[in-house]
Amino acid sequence: MAKVILGLLILVPSILPVAPKDTADFIRERNYPVEKHTAVTQDGYVLSLFRIPYSPRRPSRPGPKPAVLFFHGLMCSSDFWVIISPEEGLPFLLADEGYDVWLTNSRGNTYSRKHLTLSPNDKKFWQFDWHEIGVYDATASIDFILSTTGEKAVHYVGHSQGCTAFLAMLSMRPEYGHKVKTSHLLAPVAFMSRVPSKLMRILKDFYLKMPDMETFYNVPPINRINKMMCSGYIIRNLVCRNIAFMFGGYASPHLNMTLMPLIAGIAAAGVSTRQIKHYAQLIDSGRFALYDFGAQLNLQIYRSPSPPDYPLRDAYTQQPIEFYYSDNDAMSAVEDVEQVISSLPNARGHRMAFKDWGHIDFIFAYNLKKHLNNDIINTFNTFESRYSGAYAN
Ligand SMILES: *[C@@H]1O[C@H](CO)[C@@H](O)[C@H](O)[C@H]1NC(C)=O
């Protein structure tokens, strides 16, 4: 009987047709203003961008505000930047500092499931990976922000795949280096041959055999069950913590456990299997190379039997690309990050002082402002006070 009641307690609320909260709801709940915009990519995907145009804590300063683009990680969305409290979260802190904050969403996730001619039911819709997310989605997001605000360049903050996409964009479309002021890559993923995650290695072999299709998408009733389970202390610590850490980095004591139910409520946000397959290829090849379609197709597409490397030497921005990485990041080994830093013409590494800092701690840790965000904000403000003239209208 007790089991039945418990079952009903979990099931009934989870099947109620309640609209899940979206990024705008999270921002509004934290008492910040929000706008929703859409940008269309060169290849027809319609992306949703959320904007925090100003902070209620700081009276609007006159004149144009410097703009910031945030790009989320794999299986994530713009939600992942704003479930944190405004005292700790970078988008809110930057709004407080007078920045115009934009959170984009990669093609195929919960917020970017539209296309000018294709539908998510079409196979063709899912034929993309983080290469297109960098070359098309990041560039479209930047251009949309610049044309809406009249700014000449943006600051960029990426987490995980948001960093891979940034490096793909800058190396393939080096002209975008002129549209970037400072850039901050958190838990960056590029070279992957030393990736510590055992789960990733298991998933790798499974996914390499999969066709291009949607995976790890959002199922609201399941999210509601997960959210509820992760709210209880015991399950939260036994199950939810471990699931989060499998992806993120093992036994990190830094993850703010209060955020756990919120994370369970928004993950995962939908990707194409090809995003995972492309990462899997990097693990096997040890290279940071374009997608491998197989020798025959490669010949047609790249005129060579194997895909070319991303030309990282061309990925240049005037300010050093700032890499924030750590020793307990299951998705990104220190040696792999240092290899990409040394392959770039202008990059700087910041290895986290905590040996146990993990992959998602960069966005969900306790005292995130003190341990990470203050440092990033300093770089933003130093740039704006010194160089903003060079980018003024
Ligand atoms: C942990 O997260 C909660 C909810 O966002 C927040 O209120 C609290 O300040 C955070 N704690 C720390 C130490 O960051």
Side-chain angles (χ1 to χ4, degrees):
M1 190 61 193
K3 270 187 196 152
V4 172
I5 293 174
L6 187 66
L8 285 176
L9 275 179
I10 291 179
L11 267 179
V12 170
S14 68
I15 55 176
L16 292 176
V18 195
K21 279 185 194 165
D22 73 1
T23 299
D25 297 324
F26 288 120
I27 294 172
R28 255 184 244 113
E29 273 177 5
R30 283 152 187 72
N31 295 316
Y32 281 71
V34 60
E35 295 172 9
K36 190 175 176 184
H37 296 264
T38 52
V40 181
T41 68
Q42 225 172 50
D43 57 348
Y45 288 84
V46 182
L47 313 176
S48 295
L49 289 96
F50 293 89
R51 178 190 198 181
I52 308 175
Y54 63 90
S55 163
R57 298 178 193 224
R58 179 186 164 129
S60 205
R61 71 176 177 200
K65 289 162 172 263
V68 191
L69 171 62
F70 280 78
F71 216 136
H72 60 77
L74 185 74
M75 302 174 198
C76 301
S77 71
S78 48
D79 290 349
F80 285 68
W81 298 110
V82 293
I83 60 169
I84 192 169
S85 89
E87 281 76 31
E88 301 289 338
L90 193 56
F92 302 108
L93 295 170
L94 284 172
D96 294 347
E97 292 285 324
Y99 292 86
D100 179 9
V101 174
W102 294 78
L103 317 167
T104 193
N105 284 285
S106 62
R107 57 186 61 201
N109 89 356
T110 318
Y111 297 112
S112 296
R113 297 174 58 83
K114 289 205 184 106
H115 186 279
L116 296 183
T117 57
L118 299 170
S119 122
N121 298 324
D122 298 326
K123 238 183 128 173
K124 206 162 180 290
F125 183 95
W126 297 102
Q127 291 175 354
F128 66 80
D129 63 77
W130 42 258
H131 174 85
E132 286 77 14
I133 291 172
V135 172
Y136 297 119
D137 298 357
T139 54
S141 302
I142 290 174
D143 289 332
F144 181 82
I145 295 168
L146 298 185
S147 71
T148 308
T149 61
E151 290 285 286
K152 292 262 188 331
V154 299
H155 294 275
Y156 187 98
V157 180
H159 178 241
S160 189
Q161 180 191 262
C163 309
T164 325
F166 181 75
L167 295 171
M169 170 187 82
L170 271 192
S171 54
M172 301 305 291
R173 305 282 303 272
E175 67 276 20
Y176 277 81
H178 301 294
K179 299 185 184 185
V180 172
K181 295 173 170 177
T182 69
S183 51
H184 309 265
L185 305 190
L186 317 178
V189 180
F191 293 102
M192 288 197 82
S193 63
R194 288 155 283 208
V195 69
S197 168
K198 291 195 183 69
L199 182 75
M200 189 66 198
R201 289 179 184 276
I202 295 166
L203 282 179
K204 169 175 82 69
D205 295 324
F206 176 75
Y207 271 96
L208 279 172
K209 298 186 193 88
M210 296 271 280
D212 294 332
M213 58 184 277
E214 184 175 21
T215 186
F216 287 107
Y217 45 86
N218 205 282
V219 186
I222 292 185
N223 281 107
R224 278 198 288 276
I225 294 176
N226 288 347
K227 182 174 176 178
M228 222 169 311
M229 296 212 304
C230 293
S231 305
Y233 182 80
I234 294 172
I235 299 181
R236 187 175 78 190
N237 281 281
L238 278 178
V239 182
C240 305
R241 194 187 182 98
N242 284 314
I243 290 175
F245 290 146
M246 271 199 293
F247 286 95
Y250 299 100
S252 164
H254 297 285
L255 184 67
N256 183 340
M257 292 306 281
T258 313
L259 296 173
M260 206 67 236
L262 289 168
I263 301 170
I266 59 173
V271 297
S272 163
T273 48
R274 199 191 279 183
Q275 288 167 257
I276 301 170
K277 284 190 277 182
H278 198 170
Y279 279 130
Q281 292 175 357
L282 303 188
I283 298 176
D284 286 342
S285 72
R287 300 163 56 207
F288 184 47
L290 277 72
Y291 190 74
D292 188 345
F293 291 93
Q296 236 178 351
L297 267 179
N298 287 343
L299 269 176
Q300 280 176 33
I301 297 167
Y302 307 123
R303 294 175 197 288
S304 107
S306 64
D309 288 326
Y310 283 97
L312 287 173
R313 283 279 143 216
D314 297 338
Y316 177 78
T317 53
Q318 209 168 24
Q319 298 303 309
I321 302 172
E322 313 284 354
F323 283 78
Y324 288 86
Y325 60 110
S326 62
D327 288 62
N328 182 38
D329 185 337
M331 304 306 288
S332 189
V334 164
E335 298 83 354
D336 284 334
V337 178
E338 291 178 347
Q339 185 180 353
V340 71
I341 293 174
S342 63
S343 309
L344 288 162
N346 193 12
R348 183 158 60 187
H350 309 256
R351 187 169 173 174
M352 297 301 287
F354 297 108
K355 291 285 169 235
D356 47 11
W357 190 273
H359 193 68
I360 55 177
D361 291 339
F362 288 94
I363 50 176
F364 296 138
Y366 288 114
N367 298 314
L368 193 58
K369 178 172 189 285
K370 177 172 148 210
H371 295 324
L372 176 67
N373 289 340
N374 277 341
D375 199 21
I376 297 176
I377 292 166
N378 261 331
T379 308
F380 270 78
N381 288 345
T382 304
F383 175 89
E384 288 299 334
S385 61
R386 279 195 200 149
Y387 302 107
S388 60
Y391 292 86
N393 301 297

